[in-house]
Amino acid sequence: MRRYLARLARPATYSRWLHLLIPAAVASVWLFISPSRPWMPFLFAIPVGLLPALRLGEGIQAQLLLTPDQRGRPDAAISADPATTWTARWRTVAWLEVRLVLATVATFATVWLPATTVDLVRGSFGTAPSEDWLARGVEPGWWCALLAPLPILLLLGVVVLCGDIVTAAARRLLGPSPVERMTALEERTEMLLERNRIARELHDSIGHALTVAVVQAGAARTAGDPEFTQRALAAIEETGRDALDDLERVLRVLRESDTPASGRPTLAEADKLLDSARGSGAKIDAEVSGSLDLIPGPVSREGYRILQESLTNVLRHAGAVPVRVRIRVAGASLELEVTNPLEGSPRGQGGGSGLRGIRERAALLGGKAKTGPYDGEWMVHASLPLEHIR
């Protein structure tokens, strides 16, 4: 009983009731035209339901009145899209037929049951019930007052039951098909992957800029050399400008989904990273084998970010130490290796999101990356395939 009363207190119960009565208002127009053919609205629903745009209108109305708590949500059980396949069109036709049947039941209950209650109330005062409603034939008397609430209770039960049935039918017939659900899941997966990539972009670019700025500022403060301070400030300015460019590029991708990724830096610009690290005091020994211009765009862009994160980790955790950078383009793979001594970094290079991002970047391209101590040094080694990427 408590559960039943709770259902009556829900606003959705009455919005579903309204949803059930709307078709009756439309069908009543036909009944005025041809009362001898009440079945015509069911026949007329077939060609109307085959219209692609009708599914959109029915979906919006069902979301608004049947499941208002899910309105506008991307994972709503009732979709609001036009029909794009014949299967979706026939499902819309089936929905219209079910809706008309339930609307007939709800409308009958809405009109006849309250009128019957009024008839019974009049009967309790000695007036004979009308022959037009359900109480006809009942003898007038005080007992009619005891029967008067029953039609209203029955009406409320019909409203709740029909509301549940029409909502279940809408989820079944207006909801996305298995193919549409799979497509939506794939789109959401792509969106999450893109967000993850953008997060890595910001982490690598802004993290590198802040690390260089902190190291340069600390070195300038302790050096006491005006010329060195000028060089440090110039390096901070250049690194900050590059970070702002990267930030603007990422924000442009967020604002405009069709923005190409070609604007992102590639390994052809690796010299800027190496010069930035040298300006922060690191002694860089770099060796490049092969033509960086021949590396496919996706590999070159991810290789740049891996190199950037590796150098950032060196500056952040080890400071101004000798760093060996090897970039080799050979055969079907790009080999990228960054090593530095473990001295001065008792906690190692850490195990946070930066190193995880390096491994994820390599895995997304079908390659692999190793990070960790090796033979007295900290090493980052990434192997990225060049085939099947162009």
Side-chain angles (χ1 to χ4, degrees):
M1 186 63 179
R2 182 180 300 176
R3 183 178 179 184
Y4 176 74
L5 294 176
R7 298 290 297 277
L8 294 178
R10 291 176 52 192
T13 298
Y14 302 97
S15 65
R16 291 174 180 178
W17 190 2
L18 174 61
H19 184 271
L20 288 166
L21 296 179
I22 291 175
V26 177
S28 63
V29 176
W30 173 258
L31 293 180
F32 279 113
I33 298 173
S34 180
S36 62
R37 298 177 180 178
W39 45 267
M40 282 299 295
F42 292 89
L43 184 62
F44 187 65
I46 297 176
V48 172
L50 294 177
L51 298 175
L54 188 74
R55 186 175 182 85
L56 171 62
E58 289 293 318
I60 293 175
Q61 187 181 129
Q63 278 191 3
L64 180 66
L65 298 177
L66 300 183
T67 56
D69 57 321
Q70 296 185 0
R71 185 176 56 202
R73 286 172 44 179
D75 59 341
I78 301 174
S79 59
D81 298 300
T84 56
T85 64
W86 280 103
T87 301
R89 295 183 186 186
W90 285 112
R91 289 172 68 199
T92 307
V93 171
W95 156 251
L96 291 179
E97 300 293 347
V98 171
R99 187 179 179 187
L100 284 171
V101 170
L102 293 173
T104 301
V105 175
T107 303
F108 177 87
T110 302
V111 174
W112 283 61
L113 293 177
T116 300
T117 293
V118 173
D119 227 15
L120 290 172
V121 170
R122 293 175 62 213
S124 66
F125 291 99
T127 302
S130 171
E131 293 294 325
D132 295 330
W133 310 114
L134 300 180
R136 59 180 175 269
V138 176
E139 291 294 330
W142 62 268
W143 55 82
C144 290
L146 300 178
L147 298 177
L150 296 182
I152 298 299
L153 295 176
L154 180 58
L155 171 62
L156 295 176
V158 170
V159 168
V160 172
L161 180 61
C162 288
D164 289 345
I165 295 175
V166 76
T167 303
R171 288 172 174 158
R172 178 75 176 178
L173 298 173
L174 293 181
S177 65
V179 174
E180 292 170 337
R181 291 183 187 275
M182 183 61 67
T183 301
L185 181 60
E186 290 175 353
E187 291 176 353
R188 180 168 176 79
T189 301
E190 289 293 330
M191 180 186 68
L192 292 176
L193 289 174
E194 180 66 11
R195 287 183 177 179
N196 191 34
R197 184 190 67 77
I198 289 174
R200 288 199 304 267
E201 292 284 328
L202 287 176
H203 174 274
D204 294 348
S205 177
I206 306 302
H208 174 77
L210 291 177
T211 299
V212 170
V214 169
V215 172
Q216 290 279 18
R221 181 174 56 82
T222 57
D225 183 355
E227 183 178 352
F228 180 85
T229 300
Q230 288 294 327
R231 291 199 303 272
L233 290 175
I236 292 173
E237 180 182 11
E238 181 180 359
T239 305
R241 290 183 185 277
D242 291 341
L244 286 175
D245 289 341
D246 283 343
L247 180 60
E248 176 61 28
R249 192 159 35 236
V250 170
L251 293 178
R252 190 164 59 250
V253 169
L254 289 174
R255 290 193 296 263
E256 305 172 12
S257 58
D258 57 347
T259 300
S262 56
R264 293 162 53 200
T266 65
L267 278 177
E269 305 172 55
D271 288 341
K272 293 173 61 177
L273 281 179
L274 299 177
D275 291 342
S276 176
R278 290 190 182 101
S280 299
K283 304 173 181 62
I284 304 294
D285 174 22
E287 179 180 320
V288 179
S289 303
S291 176
L292 299 181
D293 295 330
L294 299 179
I295 303 175
V299 178
S300 188
R301 289 190 288 269
E302 297 304 321
Y304 178 93
R305 292 305 186 191
I306 291 174
L307 176 60
Q308 184 181 55
E309 178 61 26
S310 302
L311 294 175
T312 300
N313 281 341
V314 172
L315 295 174
R316 181 181 299 153
H317 298 285
V321 298
V323 183
R324 186 170 65 254
V325 177
R326 298 291 182 264
I327 303 175
R328 184 165 64 94
V329 182
S333 67
L334 165 68
E335 304 293 331
L336 195 154
E337 184 176 286
V338 179
T339 57
N340 63 277
L342 283 173
E343 290 83 358
S345 179
R347 291 181 299 169
Q349 300 292 106
S353 60
L355 298 181
R356 185 173 65 251
I358 289 175
R359 292 189 289 268
E360 288 176 354
R361 290 181 185 276
L364 285 174
L365 293 173
K368 57 184 179 179
K370 297 184 296 183
T371 61
Y374 178 77
D375 198 17
E377 295 181 315
W378 183 269
M379 179 182 70
V380 174
H381 181 91
S383 178
L384 308 178
L386 302 181
E387 294 182 345
H388 310 298
I389 297 293
R390 300 176 190 275

